[in-house]
């Protein structure tokens, strides 16, 4: 930070205590070194204030340790609806459920938020491609809701008979976007038995082709996509999400639910592109089917640990993955009742510090892990697949590079 005064003749400021203590002197140089004062002043200014727009890059670079945000945390970001081709974004404080309009971003198509990191969000929307019965694709956007900046990532090869799944991993300033897609039929083509079909008095055997699924990664540092090869399995289809992009980033890895069959499975990938399939194996013994894993199963980042929330009729189980290396295991953190009834449809779930936040068609629900208490309120009905994520305002550009 540059000096406000002349270095050769620093102006002396003389102060005296009301209690009669001896006077002491302070130079402007001394004041400048109290950076927290300057940061506090900036944090109270509106984002559009001229000093912010003029010096935001210099200030962010100056106070990067490794990522310092000059704005106060607003906790939750919520995409409310698409109105007149605009994405309307709100912040919400989960203790009071008060919602504030953050920004309205122009968008040519219906857009869905899939991740929030370091003050920017990742959104996707469907792409119309040739031969819609065979190929499909997504546009992937990086958006800073505070500045209104948007970045459309380069388009890639369309996916064959499989809607791509997207996951975002992030560091202090950079990020990586993982895109899992189907590159087509395996070569040589492998025929797999599917079923018998009785037609016109004859029994036919129906086969299907084995498909090849691959992953490519976009790095904000290089600005290009790189194919990292085949994946062992794919993220599962999510009935209540318009895109199969439900994932969570925890401890340097992205996690997707891959299967709910039998004991369930999770697909993970680290920043180096190494994949792993994790078996849940949560329930043992003589458990009733309705008391085991259900379709209402969600992955969350609970205070830095991968956690699984499983909703049952009127109650829930919260599991947390603890340990490292060969000593990793699932621990049942808590079992409790919920305000989510049999007829409630859960549209989104996330975690903010020690609070699990759940959105249904009719209400917000917030569960405090420490106190084991729920808070809830009706929201009057939300439309167009609302999503909710932890969020903090920042100046970080969509490119991820300062």
């Amino acid at each position: 930070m540059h000096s406000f005064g002349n270095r050769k003749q620093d102006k002396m400021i003389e102060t005296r205590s009301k209690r009669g203590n001896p006077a002491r002197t302070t130079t402007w140089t001394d004041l400048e070194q109290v950076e927290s004062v300057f940061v506090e002043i900036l944090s109270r200014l509106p984002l559009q204030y001229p000093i912010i727009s003029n010096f935001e890059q210099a200030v962010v670079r100056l106070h990067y340790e490794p990522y310092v945000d000059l704005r106060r945390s607003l906790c939750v970001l919520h995409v409310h609806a698409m109105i007149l081709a605009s994405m309307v974004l709100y912040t919400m404080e989960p203790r009071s459920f008060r919602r504030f309009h953050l920004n309205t971003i122009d968008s040519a198509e219906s857009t869905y938020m899939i991740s929030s990191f370091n003050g920017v969000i990742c959104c996707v929307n469907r792409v119309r491609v040739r031969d819609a019965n065979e190929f499909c694709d997504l546009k992937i956007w990086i958006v800073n809701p505070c500045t209104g900046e948007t970045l459309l990532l380069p388009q890639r090869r369309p996916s064959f008979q499989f809607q791509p799944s997207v996951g975002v991993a992030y560091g202090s300033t950079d990020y990586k976007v993982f895109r899992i897609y189907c590159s087509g039929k395996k070569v040589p083509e492998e025929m797999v038995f599917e079923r018998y079909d009785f037609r016109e008095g004859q029994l036919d055997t129906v086969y299907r082709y084995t498909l090849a699924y691959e992953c490519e990664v976009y790095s904000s540092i290089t600005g290009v996509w790189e194919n990292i090869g085949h994946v062992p399995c794919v993220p599962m289809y999510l009935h209540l999400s318009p895109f199969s992009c439900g994932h969570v980033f925890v401890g340097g890895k992205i996690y997707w639910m891959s299967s709910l069959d039998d004991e369930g499975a999770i697909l993970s990938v680290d920043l180096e592109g190494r994949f792993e399939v994790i078996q849940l194996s949560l329930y043992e013994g003589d458990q009733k089917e309705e008391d085991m894993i259900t379709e209402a199963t969600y992955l969350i980042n609970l205070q830095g640990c991968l956690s699984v929330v499983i909703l049952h009729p009127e109650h829930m189980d919260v599991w947390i993955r603890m340990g490292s290396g060969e000593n990793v295991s699932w621990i049942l953190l808590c079992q409790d009742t919920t305000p989510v009834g049999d007829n409630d449809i859960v549209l989104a779930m996330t975690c903010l510090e020690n609070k699990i936040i759940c959105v249904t068609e009719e209400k917000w629900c917030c569960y405090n892990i420490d106190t084991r208490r729920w808070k809830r309120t009706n929201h009057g009905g939300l439309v167009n697949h609302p999503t909710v994520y932890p969020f903090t305002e920042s100046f970080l550009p969509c490119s991820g590079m300062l």
Side-chain angles (χ1 to χ4, degrees):
M1 187 178 295
H2 296 296
S3 173
F4 295 141
N6 190 321
R7 290 292 185 186
K8 294 182 179 180
Q9 293 181 341
D10 267 334
K11 183 178 179 180
M12 309 299 286
I13 303 174
E14 186 172 293
T15 60
R16 183 180 299 275
S17 169
K18 291 182 179 180
R19 296 184 179 181
N21 292 334
R24 61 184 177 87
T25 58
T26 304
T27 67
W28 278 114
T29 304
D30 295 330
L31 289 177
E32 291 168 8
Q33 292 175 353
V34 187
E35 294 180 357
S36 59
V37 175
F38 186 60
V39 172
E40 181 67 18
I41 293 172
L42 288 181
S43 70
R44 296 176 182 272
L45 296 176
L47 192 67
Q48 294 79 13
Y49 200 81
I51 191 173
I52 299 295
S53 60
N54 291 339
F55 294 103
E56 61 183 25
Q57 294 296 327
V59 171
V60 171
R61 287 193 184 98
L62 178 66
H63 296 285
Y64 228 89
E65 294 179 358
Y67 178 83
V68 175
D69 177 18
L70 302 184
R71 304 291 298 177
R72 296 182 183 277
S73 173
L74 296 179
C75 303
V76 176
L77 182 67
H78 168 57
V79 178
H80 178 61
M82 291 299 302
I83 303 174
L84 300 177
S86 295
M87 180 170 57
V88 185
L89 302 127
Y90 297 86
T91 56
M92 189 190 74
E93 214 298 318
R95 288 178 298 180
S96 63
F97 296 107
R98 294 184 62 188
R99 195 175 64 193
F100 304 91
H101 178 259
L102 178 60
N103 205 346
T104 299
I105 308 295
D106 292 336
S107 175
E109 302 172 83
S110 179
T111 305
Y112 187 77
M113 182 171 65
I114 65 168
S115 181
S116 170
F117 55 97
N118 293 352
V120 296
I121 64 175
C122 182
C123 301
V124 297
N125 60 272
R126 188 175 285 108
V127 176
R128 291 186 178 89
V129 298
R130 61 180 177 83
D131 195 357
N133 293 327
E134 294 290 329
F135 296 92
C136 57
D137 201 5
L138 299 173
K139 288 182 180 179
I140 304 174
W141 297 85
I142 305 297
V143 179
N144 187 317
C146 296
T147 65
E149 181 192 3
T150 62
L151 172 66
L152 176 63
L153 300 192
Q155 208 65 39
R156 299 299 292 168
R157 173 183 175 183
S159 180
F160 178 72
Q161 294 184 350
F162 173 78
Q163 185 169 270
S165 293
V166 178
V168 184
Y170 45 92
S172 57
T173 59
D174 64 317
Y175 59 86
K176 290 185 176 181
V177 179
F178 289 74
R179 175 181 178 266
I180 297 175
Y181 71 104
C182 179
S183 57
K185 301 173 183 177
K186 283 187 176 179
V187 180
E189 294 179 353
E190 299 178 11
M191 300 286 287
V192 179
F193 171 79
E194 187 172 73
R195 68 181 188 278
Y196 290 110
D197 195 2
F198 190 78
R199 294 183 180 180
E200 299 180 355
Q202 295 183 349
L203 184 64
D204 295 330
T205 303
V206 179
Y207 295 92
R208 61 178 173 83
Y209 291 102
T210 300
L211 301 178
Y213 297 95
E214 300 181 19
C215 181
E216 50 191 6
V217 181
Y218 175 88
S219 169
S220 63
I221 296 177
T222 64
V224 298
W225 290 93
E226 176 188 1
N227 192 296
I228 59 173
H230 296 279
V231 296
C233 61
V234 296
M236 64 180 292
Y237 174 76
L238 303 175
H239 295 284
L240 298 179
S241 170
F243 306 104
S244 299
C245 297
H247 69 285
V248 63
F249 179 70
V250 186
K253 293 184 179 182
I254 297 175
Y255 298 89
W256 294 269
M257 283 298 305
S258 177
S259 173
L260 293 176
D261 295 336
D262 299 325
E263 297 177 335
I266 296 173
L267 174 67
S268 77
V269 63
D270 64 15
L271 294 173
E272 303 303 319
R274 294 183 290 256
F275 284 93
E276 179 185 6
V277 179
I278 303 170
Q279 301 299 323
L280 287 180
S281 304
L282 301 179
Y283 298 97
E284 298 177 357
D286 298 328
Q287 293 278 347
K288 296 181 181 179
E289 183 176 352
E290 60 269 23
D291 292 331
M292 299 177 69
I293 194 168
T294 72
E295 290 188 1
T297 298
Y298 304 87
L299 301 179
I300 62 172
N301 182 342
L302 180 57
Q303 297 180 315
C305 295
L306 175 65
S307 298
V308 177
V309 179
I310 302 176
L311 297 180
H312 304 280
E314 307 295 340
H315 75 279
M316 70 173 182
D317 300 336
V318 180
W319 295 82
I320 189 168
R321 198 165 187 251
M322 302 290 289
S324 60
E326 297 180 355
N327 297 320
V328 175
S329 62
W330 291 100
I331 298 174
L332 183 59
L333 183 63
C334 72
Q335 291 180 307
D336 211 334
T337 58
T338 74
V340 180
D342 292 347
N343 297 324
D344 289 327
I345 298 177
V346 177
L347 303 176
M349 182 177 292
T350 191
C351 186
L352 176 67
E353 297 175 348
N354 65 334
K355 298 178 179 64
I356 297 175
I357 300 160
C358 175
V359 186
T360 73
E361 288 185 307
E362 299 296 333
K363 55 181 175 277
W364 294 97
C365 303
C366 180
Y367 181 74
N368 189 308
I369 289 290
D370 297 333
T371 63
R372 299 291 200 269
R373 292 182 179 179
W374 284 95
K375 281 189 175 182
R376 59 187 180 273
T377 186
N378 291 336
H379 54 58
L382 301 172
V383 295
N384 286 8
H385 304 283
T387 54
V388 58
Y389 291 93
F391 178 71
T392 301
E393 290 184 87
S394 84
F395 300 123
L396 191 69
C398 292
S399 65
M401 303 300 293
L402 292 171

